[in-house]
Amino acid sequence: MRRSPEPKPDPMSASDLSSANRPSIRRSEAPSSGGSAAVDMDVAIAGHRRRMVRRVVLLVAFTLAMLAAGLADVVTGPSGLTLHDLWRAVLAPGEVDRTTAVIVWTVRLPYAVMALLVGAVLGLSGVEMQTILDNPLASPFTLGLSSAAAVGASLAIVFHLAPFGLPESWAVPTLAFLFAFGSVLLLQAMARLAPAGRETLVLLGIALVFSCHALVALLQLIAPEDVLQQLVFWTLGSVTRATWEKIGVLAAIFALVMPFSMAAAWSMTVLRLGEDRALSFGVDVRRLRYASLIRVSLISSIAVAFVGPIGFIGLVGPHIARMLVGEDQRFLLPTSAMVGALLLSLASVASKAIMPGIIVPVGIVTALVGVPAFVLLILRQRR
Amino acid sequence: MDQDISSGLVVEGVSLGYGRTPIIRDLTLPALRRGTLTALIGPNGAGKSTLLRGLAGLGNLTGSVRLDGEELHRLPRAERAMLLGFMPQSLPPPISLSVLESVVGSLRAGTGASSHSRAGDPVRRAYATLADIGIAELANRELSALSGGQRQLASLAQAVARRPAVLMLDEPTSALDLRHQTVVMREVARLTREHGLVTIVVMHDIALAARHADQIAVLRGGALRAFGIPREAITARLLADVYDIDARVETCSRGSLQIIVDHAL
């Protein structure tokens, strides 16, 4: 069963069948001499390696950009701290005055870290949803996850619900999470009843968005005035709800989920070649879809529960990442997470710069930047 | 390789279909020996693709499909995938993935760790497959930059790279020009002979099928209507019967079979 790439005497084979618009090495050199096939292979594999190296370089560059954006996020803010103050507050909190330490440790750092983390979660969730549902418009937002979270949060806020006797600061995110994650389980169960799973899930998701918006509007209508403001603010999405405990929870789950996503990278790559191909390569497509959906719904539900709905990062991030590194999911998954982190971190910087002295909820910023990006995306699709 | 008469693919009492209405009911094929290429022909809606997908393990198949005596559909998924190569009718989408990467994906996805230890560096193996099919030059080009025909060749590479024992191709030449049609069929026939594969190819071009296939299976309405070596299976009477056409089956000056369709019945 040995098959070698050496040129065969058959004149119709290998060397003969080149693409029309790229001169082959074999053609420019002596045709079908024994060594040139080996040279061809080395050249091709070197080309393949260069593609890999380019992507690794991009990943490193994104890591640095992410750190830079995070740093900029920590530095910007209304209290006018210098870089030097920050540096000292981080390294030696005991040596700076209390106000500085409090600002850095309870405001600046948690906000900046939360922005990066939530961005990464949304970027990863978006790209996996788009791949497994074979739909470029899939994201935690468009599948109705954020809207369902808003219903849960609104219920908690309006009726002062405290499930499991939780303190109020945890009651709202807990209910938001339960609704978001529950909505995905419901969608999945409904889609299983229908014969065509993928399209059904996206359509049901959109239907869910509308129902949830109506429910939230109804709750706003009956909410007392003092609660209404709190309710509206929650639906805007903001990293100012960040605390170190929430960061810890989200980071732990993200660290738990990411390795499973990376382990499924090859299966997801070939799924992009078509479901039948993936199946014939031995991929259990149903299981892949189910596991991935549950995974990313879990992390994005937690993220949304903590910071509120933040649109477009999960939708646009994957598309930017795909343009940069292509469809090899070993690179696309981490890149998409990094693009998401970078985008949300930059949005967080912008949210402090738009109106001096006021932190505009970052959900507003991402939506404002996201809408033109979304339009561009649709226009590109029609190409 | 085991070439005795009992080796090969046996399809017995197979039923297949979407939902409640079976498209293929209780179909049995004569044994398909290793090292032979079988062309599966028939009119639109005859059940050719359904049968092929079913044999490849992609449909709800009932009945018996045995390779060298082993019931294929009882094997674990990964093991079965190593034995069966399937090229779907649809082209791979024009995505930003290189041809080489797509073939490496076919080697690394789903099949577990066993495939790695078995045959060394997947990148080298993938490249060797491309060279075999004659598209080595496309290795680092992205699918999005290729023509439909080139993507069809990449699809063939994805199907054969794992060196399956059974190769099933659904209209592998539908997007190809005349030259590539011939080149691909010759290459498939060569792989079939040299590696003792059982190859089944769904085709519409009967003359092309007759030239490259060892035997022809004719399907209509989910049932087998004829089976045999091309020269005996393909007759004007069969074409009238199966395709509802008035056609002549002629031998050209170089001895190959040609079909001239005079009109539809």
Side-chain angles (χ1 to χ4, degrees), chain B residues 141-159:
Chain B
R141 302 254 317 263
E142 297 199 335
L143 291 168
S144 56
L146 301 185
S147 72
Q150 288 170 321
R151 274 186 283 139
Q152 194 160 44
L153 293 168
S155 179
L156 178 65
Q158 291 156 15

Side-chain angles (χ1 to χ4, degrees), chain A residues 1-5 8 10-26 37 40-49 51-52 55 266-267 269-270 272-277 279-285 322-323 325-330, chain B residues 1 53 58 77-78 81 84 86 88 90-93 95-98 100-102 104-106 108-111 121 123-124 127-129 131-135 137-143 150 153 155 158-160 162-163 179-180 182-183 186-187 190-191 195:
Chain A
M1 286 280 278
R2 204 183 76 94
R3 223 189 293 162
S4 69
K8 291 160 280 289
D10 183 346
M12 290 294 269
S13 66
S15 63
D16 220 335
L17 210 156
S18 65
S19 68
N21 42 7
R22 182 194 261 198
S24 78
I25 292 148
R26 197 175 289 166
D40 276 3
M41 181 184 288
D42 291 341
V43 168
I45 287 172
H48 176 71
R49 292 239 168 82
R51 285 173 65 87
M52 299 291 137
R55 290 163 180 173
W266 274 117
S267 298
T269 301
V270 297
R272 293 291 290 126
L273 295 172
E275 186 168 343
D276 277 1
R277 268 182 201 86
L279 283 167
S280 78
F281 300 156
V283 176
D284 189 340
V285 172
R322 207 173 282 123
M323 284 175 216
V325 298
E327 292 279 359
D328 185 338
Q329 311 266 329
R330 289 176 302 165
Chain B
M1 184 149 290
R53 291 185 79 244
L58 305 186
R77 178 184 292 271
L84 304 179
F86 173 63
S90 60
L91 299 179
I95 56 173
S96 170
L97 189 73
S98 80
L100 193 63
E101 284 158 8
S102 76
V104 171
S106 80
R108 300 200 53 173
T111 44
D121 182 9
V123 177
R124 286 187 175 270
Y127 180 85
T129 305
D132 264 351
I133 295 172
I135 52 169
E137 290 83 359
L138 301 182
N140 287 313
R141 302 254 317 263
E142 297 199 335
L143 291 168
Q150 288 170 321
L153 293 168
S155 179
Q158 291 156 15
V160 302
R162 277 168 296 129
R163 297 178 196 173
R179 178 169 180 283
H180 283 86
T182 303
V183 171
R186 277 176 67 140
E187 186 56 27
R190 185 188 71 79
L191 291 175
H195 302 303

Side-chain angles (χ1 to χ4, degrees), chain A residues 342-360:
Chain A
L342 185 62
L343 287 179
L344 195 56
S345 193
L346 292 176
S348 172
V349 174
S351 74
K352 288 182 257 185
I354 291 173
M355 282 192 257
I358 297 175
I359 299 180
V360 178

